Amino acid sequence: MAYRHTLRGTVYHFPTLRELLAVATPLRSGDQLAGIAAPTNTARVAAQLALADVPLRRFLTETVIPYEVDDITRLIIDTHDNAAFAPIAHLTVGGFRDWLLATNEDLRTLRSGLTPEMVAAVSKIMRLQDLMSVAARCQVTSAFRNTIGLPGRLSVRLQPNHPTDDLQGIAASTLDGLLLGAGDAVIGVNPATDSPTQTHRLLDMLATVIERYEIPTQSCILAHVTTTLRCIEAGAPVDLVFQSIGGTQATNESFGITLALLAEAQDAALSLNRGTIGRNVMYFETGQGSALSANAHHGVDQQTIEARAYAVARAFPPLLVNSVVGFIGPEYLANGKQITRAGLEDHFCAKLLGLPMGVDVCYTNHADADQDDMDALLTLLGVAGCTYIMGVPGADDVMLSYQSTSFHDALYLRAALRLRPAPEFEAWLDRMNLTGRMSDHLPPNLAPDVIGLT
């Protein structure tokens, strides 16, 4: 079905919903690289106005990638809950935006009735404050050894990467993060290699630390899912299974995964029964641009593809999901403005779809961005109720060679917005007499009790 809108005497035509979504997307370099971005700002506005008039029901009958060729499309359509969709089934995309901003309804009841394309569409006609306002009302909790995502809480992934996977170096960075209150989301290491032997060694070391000091958290080595499965078979102490995922079948095939493989890994991790208070055993990472880099986007804009990745994630109820928003590079998000918009979009879409969403507030050194941009995005995400952020020593990842957020950035955000760590982890910090050490690093005008440390 074709779509059109007349603006300033010019009629703009959009042959398909896929093309309408692409032209309506706020400017980003990845869509320009793919040749699907709006040719002018006026065309973008016309597309956004046309998109606002599209009935939400249309997304159930016109798919952006054909049902027959893509298992993610089949997952989205086959699991859609018509009963949950019923309260908003009469709305257009624009009407849905207005409803989200005005309603006092519990948004959790909508999750299974929303498709990623509906959520991506409404995000395209929202201001940043709209994205933040709605996301802040989307409460999503998950649990393994502690509870992630409770109101008034901000968790931190302690990311002690090392360029050679040196155990002493990783241990030192882990200690640094724990002393500064990081690690309640996960102690997660990106390994320098995908060796099962080395992954097993790292898992053993982190499990020893967690068990010796009785830390209510979980570890994860961010190896490929097949490597983690081999480690489970070898008796390794696996808490969480990690995998990067995408929003098309072809993207996931480029990662060497299928939905069936993810289900196998989830079953294997659950069989270990290592969680103490919950059974969310999966950790997923996403990022706008991955489908384009794999030539697997089917002409769909990168933000809509990103939202489709969240359908994969929610099929395997995870403990954690995060967008590595600026990591893939300026070819996809060229500058701080585009990274900021994308980070808030990703967070909004994932939370509305029911995922415990964190964001790696980051950029590569060849992007037109700096730490001021990251400070701004970090603060905006805190206001939006982001579930967790990254804690990297000095904010400079020496293994992955990109800029992220530091342990001290997390202390700043908790202090400024009166946020606290996960409750079980906070209690552990108090038992270990670490709360005073954390407060030593706060600005003098911020009292320690602001972040629940006294």
Side-chain angles (χ1 to χ4, degrees):
M1 177 178 177
Y3 304 85
R4 62 179 55 87
H5 189 84
T6 302
L7 187 63
R8 294 181 178 175
T10 299
V11 180
Y12 292 85
H13 294 272
F14 310 99
T16 65
L17 185 57
R18 181 187 70 244
E19 291 165 280
L20 176 62
L21 287 166
V23 179
T25 305
L27 179 66
R28 60 210 56 198
S29 52
D31 292 337
Q32 291 177 311
L33 182 63
I36 60 175
T40 65
N41 289 332
T42 305
R44 182 177 300 107
V45 171
Q48 289 171 338
L49 290 168
L51 181 60
D53 290 334
V54 175
L56 290 180
R57 288 187 181 276
R58 186 71 47 76
F59 293 91
L60 300 175
T61 57
E62 184 179 352
T63 59
V64 296
I65 302 174
Y67 182 94
E68 297 76 18
V69 304
D70 187 84
D71 62 2
I72 310 306
T73 300
R74 294 193 290 274
L75 174 68
I76 291 167
I77 297 299
D78 293 349
T79 60
H80 181 257
D81 184 342
N82 278 312
F85 179 58
I88 58 167
H90 63 289
L91 296 175
T92 62
V93 172
F96 185 40
R97 171 194 173 272
D98 295 343
W99 185 90
L100 285 171
L101 292 171
T103 187
N104 291 319
E105 297 290 328
D106 185 347
L107 298 180
R108 289 175 292 186
T109 63
L110 285 182
R111 293 171 182 171
S112 60
L114 296 172
T115 70
E117 291 86 352
M118 293 176 192
V119 174
V122 75
S123 75
K124 296 177 192 295
I125 62 170
M126 284 180 148
R127 298 171 58 182
L128 296 189
Q129 66 176 251
D130 298 340
L131 297 172
M132 295 159 59
S133 175
V134 176
R137 292 170 30 231
C138 294
Q139 182 182 334
V140 183
T141 58
S142 58
F144 189 75
R145 292 198 189 99
N146 58 26
T147 309
I148 305 295
L150 291 170
R153 306 280 177 171
L154 173 72
S155 293
V156 183
R157 171 187 160 189
L158 203 171
Q159 186 170 308
N161 295 344
H162 192 279
T164 64
D165 286 343
D166 179 77
L167 294 184
Q168 286 187 322
I170 290 170
S173 293
T174 299
L175 175 62
D176 186 21
L178 291 170
L179 289 173
L180 292 171
D184 51 340
V186 64
I187 303 174
V189 178
N190 296 90
T193 71
D194 209 41
S195 159
T197 300
Q198 183 65 8
T199 298
H200 200 148
R201 291 178 64 218
L202 292 169
L203 286 165
D204 284 339
M205 187 270 283
L206 291 180
T208 299
V209 171
I210 289 172
E211 291 166 11
R212 178 177 177 180
Y213 295 102
E214 300 179 324
I215 309 172
T217 191
Q218 40 281 328
S219 70
C220 184
I221 306 305
L222 282 69
H224 191 269
V225 63
T226 54
T227 300
T228 304
L229 275 169
R230 291 177 64 182
C231 288
I232 291 175
E233 292 167 358
V238 172
D239 291 341
L240 307 182
V241 174
F242 168 83
Q243 184 55 50
S244 294
I245 57 173
T248 71
Q249 179 176 338
T251 305
N252 288 326
E253 288 172 350
S254 76
F255 291 151
I257 62 169
T258 62
L259 297 178
L261 179 60
L262 294 177
E264 178 187 351
Q266 182 187 41
D267 288 343
L270 286 170
S271 73
L272 300 180
N273 291 312
R274 292 181 57 81
T276 55
I277 66 169
R279 290 174 58 81
N280 298 115
V281 296
M282 303 300 283
Y283 175 15
F284 297 117
E285 278 191 351
T286 67
Q288 291 191 29
S290 61
L292 179 57
S293 65
N295 194 28
H297 60 97
H298 297 271
V300 182
D301 68 273
Q302 66 184 37
Q303 191 257 333
T304 299
I305 292 288
E306 170 73 6
R308 284 168 54 95
Y310 305 151
V312 178
R314 72 175 178 178
F316 308 95
L319 181 75
L320 306 166
V321 182
N322 75 265
S323 166
V324 285
V325 64
F327 179 74
I328 300 180
E331 298 84 1
Y332 308 101
L333 296 169
N335 52 43
K337 181 179 177 65
Q338 292 185 16
I339 291 170
T340 297
R341 172 83 198 187
L344 292 170
E345 288 171 347
D346 294 351
H347 179 256
F348 162 85
C349 289
K351 291 291 279 294
L352 195 56
L353 289 167
L355 292 175
M357 190 66 173
V359 177
D360 190 345
V361 181
C362 62
Y363 64 101
T364 57
N365 290 317
H366 60 308
D368 183 14
D370 58 26
Q371 207 60 46
D372 285 343
D373 296 311
M374 298 305 101
D375 283 350
L377 177 55
L378 172 69
T379 305
L380 294 175
L381 284 165
V383 173
C386 189
T387 302
Y388 72 103
I389 61 169
M390 306 299 130
V392 178
D396 186 357
D397 193 300
V398 295
M399 195 280 282
L400 293 173
S401 297
Y402 78 117
Q403 307 303 309
S404 185
T405 46
S406 71
F407 308 135
H408 296 84
D409 292 330
L411 288 179
Y412 146 72
L413 195 60
R414 283 173 173 166
L417 299 180
R418 292 173 166 77
L419 301 172
R420 301 165 69 169
E424 301 86 353
F425 190 80
E426 182 182 35
W428 176 81
L429 290 170
D430 187 57
R431 289 197 305 272
M432 298 296 290
N433 196 29
L434 294 178
T435 52
R437 295 173 185 267
M438 291 173 61
S439 64
D440 289 344
H441 294 273
L442 297 179
N445 61 324
L446 292 171
D449 62 353
V450 166
I451 49 175
L453 296 180
T454 61

